[in-house]
């Protein structure tokens, strides 16, 4: 069922996004509107080019809509200047990307410590060690990304995202560059951490199996919300 107003962590309110090219104006998103409750798992699905990655960037405040707004933890993202948006992101959001986006000159431990150090956390090293242990990389703390497999790098990215205990984790095709078995391991970890920490999980994916594990599935078609499906609670999905 739709979320109650008091439980909402993200509210996307009538978002439009248009860009101009040599042929004129191109509408990427048209009147996108939905709410995401605290702690909920939500899949955003759609064909390639449907606008789902652009939508995720707007939810994160990394891109600006042509019209409309996004409320994050009760704050209007686009009423804030760029510095204030960045500060809100640092407090409330974690990110996992298809291409990992780890710092190649930092070890696994240093990559996970980085957001904690930027936040001034004095326990950055111990918290990062604990989180890497949680994702099964306790023996890989001193390794650099170039000597790690894709699955290991994605687990480092997961640890980096969750170590700050964000209210929301945004993931853009998090298994897109992984083989099936490794992708299954990463998704299992992601859902376990969602349950343990109460972090709302928002996944952009083209994988219907992954989408079916989420409590809500939002289908984007040609830049519009085609459907919002509340019929796939994670409790009904067998773990992998």
């Amino acid at each position: 069922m739709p979320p109650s107003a008091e439980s909402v962590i993200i509210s996307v309110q009538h978002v439009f996004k248009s860009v101009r090219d040599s042929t004129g104006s191109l509408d990427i998103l048209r009147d996108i509107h939905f709410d995401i409750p605290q702690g909920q798992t939500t899949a955003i699905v759609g064909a390639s080019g449907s606008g789902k990655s652009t939508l995720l960037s707007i939810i994160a405040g990394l891109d600006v809509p042509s019209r409309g707004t996004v409320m994050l933890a009760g704050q209007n993202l686009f009423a804030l200047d760029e510095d204030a948006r960045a500060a809100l992101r640092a407090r409330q959001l974690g990110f996992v990307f298809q291409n990992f986006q780890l710092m190649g000159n930092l070890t696994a431990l240093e990559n996970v410590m980085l957001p904690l150090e930027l936040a001034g956390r004095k326990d950055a090293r111990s918290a990062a060690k604990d989180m890497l242990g949680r994702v099964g990389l306790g023996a890989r703390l001193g390794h650099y990304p170039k000597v790690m497999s894709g699955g290991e790098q994605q687990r480092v990215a997961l640890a980096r995202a969750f170590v700050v205990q964000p209210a929301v984790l945004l993931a853009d095709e998090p298994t897109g560059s992984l083989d099936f078995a490794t992708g299954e391991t990463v998704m299992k970890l992601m859902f376990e951490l969602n349950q343990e920490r109460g972090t709302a999980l928002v996944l952009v994916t083209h994988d219907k199996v992954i989408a079916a594990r989420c409590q809500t599935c939002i289908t984007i078609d040609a830049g519009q919300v085609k459907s919002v499906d509340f019929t796939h609670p994670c409790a009904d999905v067998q773990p992998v």
Side-chain angles (χ1 to χ4, degrees):
M1 61 181 296
S4 60
E6 62 271 14
S7 72
V8 170
I9 186 68
I10 294 173
S11 180
V12 179
Q13 301 180 355
H14 302 292
V15 162
F16 293 75
K17 180 66 177 182
S18 300
V19 296
R20 296 194 66 83
D21 62 16
S22 59
T23 63
S25 181
L26 174 66
D27 294 328
I28 299 174
L29 298 173
R30 293 179 288 168
D31 200 18
I32 303 290
H33 187 80
F34 58 82
D35 294 331
I36 295 174
Q38 295 175 349
Q40 181 168 287
T41 55
T42 300
I44 299 176
V45 302
S48 179
S50 60
K52 55 190 188 296
S53 290
T54 298
L55 175 59
L56 199 72
S57 293
I58 289 173
I59 290 173
L62 296 170
D63 197 358
V64 178
S66 303
R67 280 189 284 157
T69 195
V70 174
M71 303 294 292
L72 172 61
Q75 295 193 61
N76 182 340
L77 274 178
F78 303 109
L80 304 173
D81 63 26
E82 192 170 337
D83 288 343
R85 277 203 305 275
L88 183 60
R89 274 197 301 272
R91 294 193 304 272
Q92 300 288 353
L93 297 179
F95 301 90
V96 177
F97 301 97
Q98 180 176 341
N99 60 356
F100 320 133
Q101 295 197 1
L102 300 177
M103 301 291 289
N105 61 329
L106 301 181
T107 65
L109 179 61
E110 290 166 343
N111 266 283
V112 179
M113 287 173 60
L114 184 60
L116 297 173
E117 291 178 324
L118 292 173
R121 288 269 297 272
K122 295 181 178 180
D123 64 339
R125 179 170 292 270
S126 61
K129 282 183 177 179
D130 289 346
M131 196 67 233
L132 282 165
R134 175 63 188 83
V135 300
L137 293 176
R140 303 282 269 164
L141 303 181
H143 290 74
Y144 290 89
K146 66 182 179 181
V147 298
M148 305 180 84
S149 69
E152 287 172 331
Q153 290 184 62
Q154 193 62 297
R155 282 188 279 159
V156 174
L158 267 181
R160 182 182 59 186
F162 274 103
V163 76
V164 296
Q165 300 185 18
V168 181
L169 178 72
L170 304 176
D172 192 356
E173 300 285 6
T175 63
S177 60
L178 304 177
D179 62 74
F180 177 78
T182 305
E184 289 288 279
T185 299
V186 167
M187 290 310 305
K188 184 174 185 289
L189 267 173
M190 196 172 290
F191 281 105
E192 286 177 354
L193 291 167
N194 155 261
Q195 291 295 312
E196 290 172 12
R197 295 170 182 261
T199 298
L201 181 59
V202 184
L203 298 169
V204 162
T205 183
H206 65 275
D207 190 322
K208 292 181 180 179
V209 175
I210 291 174
R213 298 177 187 178
C214 294
Q215 292 162 296
T216 302
C217 183
I218 298 170
T219 301
I220 305 295
D221 183 30
Q224 294 181 297
V225 173
K226 181 179 179 181
S227 65
V228 179
D229 184 1
F230 299 98
T231 63
H232 295 298
C234 292
D236 292 343
V237 178
Q238 295 299 312
V240 296

